[in-house]
Amino acid sequence: MTHHPHTAVHLAPGEPEIPIPAPVALRVVQETDGIDLAAAQRAAGQFLQALGISTDTESLRGTPGRMARAYAELFSPRPFDLTTFPNDEGYDELVLARSIPVRSVCEHHLLPFVGTAHVGYLPGQRILGLSKLARVVEHFACRPQVQERLTKQVADWLQAQLEPKGVGVVIEAEHTCMTLRGVQATGASTLTSTLLGTLRSDARSRSEFLALAGLPT
């Protein structure tokens, strides 16, 4: 993490300044090998032609390019600062962000899965800017994924970066690789969870998290 300079509170003339630690932020950027949109567009055109879909019509002529740009967007999370603050008040109750939108792509068929995530933690020495919980979910979702791994990656990363007393992550999503093809189980959803620390070891804390996330305990 990068430590920023202290700010200060200015008091009456003659009184000393009181330094206040500024937020601690970690710049989070997903490492990639680069995106070659031109090559992706050519490959998309070849892919459609191999499936017997002509791109010679006015409606389909731009489809390979749109496909390339769409997948590039799906696989490109936005950089963000993981901003944390000192837990000066010693807050020790659950912090939970519910119904965070999730959209990712199944790595087995490259078809989307979409749903919601409930992410919570029991604070330790530091607390997290609330919007960052959604940013962390997006960061790990923007790549070919399986839901089980995504759930665990979000929880493990928050545990490592924030060092809270506990972390809980629940994701519920609909996988189009299951609803639109294969078994065609329309309306089916998949639920995964990862609980760490106190939220795993303490039955009362675990039940509170699951209840607030709207799940049976």
Side-chain angles (χ1 to χ4, degrees), residues 3 10 22 24 45 57 63 66 69-71 83 88 90-91 97 107 113 132 146 154 161 170 207:
H3 292 270
H10 295 274
V24 176
T57 67
T63 296
R66 287 188 289 267
R69 292 189 297 274
Y71 275 97
T83 310
D88 291 332
Y91 185 80
E107 69 178 25
F113 65 90
K132 308 309 178 185
V146 295
V154 172
Q161 299 297 331
V170 173
S207 294

Side-chain angles (χ1 to χ4, degrees), residues 30-166:
Q30 179 173 308
E31 298 295 334
T32 66
D33 294 329
I35 294 175
D36 188 338
L37 283 175
Q41 180 174 338
R42 290 192 298 271
Q46 294 170 354
F47 173 73
L48 291 172
Q49 291 172 8
L51 292 176
I53 300 173
S54 172
T55 58
D56 293 334
T57 67
E58 182 177 352
S59 295
L60 286 168
R61 193 168 296 123
T63 296
R66 287 188 289 267
M67 284 179 60
R69 292 189 297 274
Y71 275 97
E73 180 180 343
L74 286 172
F75 297 152
S76 301
R78 296 168 291 179
F80 70 98
D81 292 322
L82 187 78
T83 310
T84 67
F85 305 86
N87 187 12
D88 291 332
E89 303 301 321
Y91 185 80
D92 60 0
E93 297 295 332
L94 185 65
V95 178
L96 176 66
R98 296 195 302 183
S99 301
I100 297 171
V102 174
R103 60 131 175 89
S104 190
V105 175
C106 164
E107 69 178 25
H108 299 140
H109 301 93
L110 287 191
L111 289 173
F113 65 90
V114 296
T116 57
H118 312 297
V119 182
Y121 71 99
L122 287 169
Q125 296 299 312
R126 304 194 67 82
I127 57 177
L128 183 65
L130 288 178
S131 67
K132 308 309 178 185
L133 293 173
R135 293 285 199 179
V136 173
V137 171
E138 177 190 308
H139 177 76
F140 287 103
C142 284
R143 65 195 68 178
Q145 272 287 14
V146 295
Q147 186 175 325
E148 297 88 339
R149 182 197 303 129
L150 172 60
T151 308
K152 192 171 187 305
Q153 283 179 334
V154 172
D156 287 345
W157 199 81
L158 286 172
Q159 182 69 37
Q161 299 297 331
L162 199 57
E163 297 183 353
K165 297 175 182 176

Side-chain angles (χ1 to χ4, degrees), residues 168-179:
V169 178
V170 173
I171 296 178
E172 183 173 7
E174 178 179 321
H175 292 249
T176 56
C177 61
M178 185 170 71
T179 60

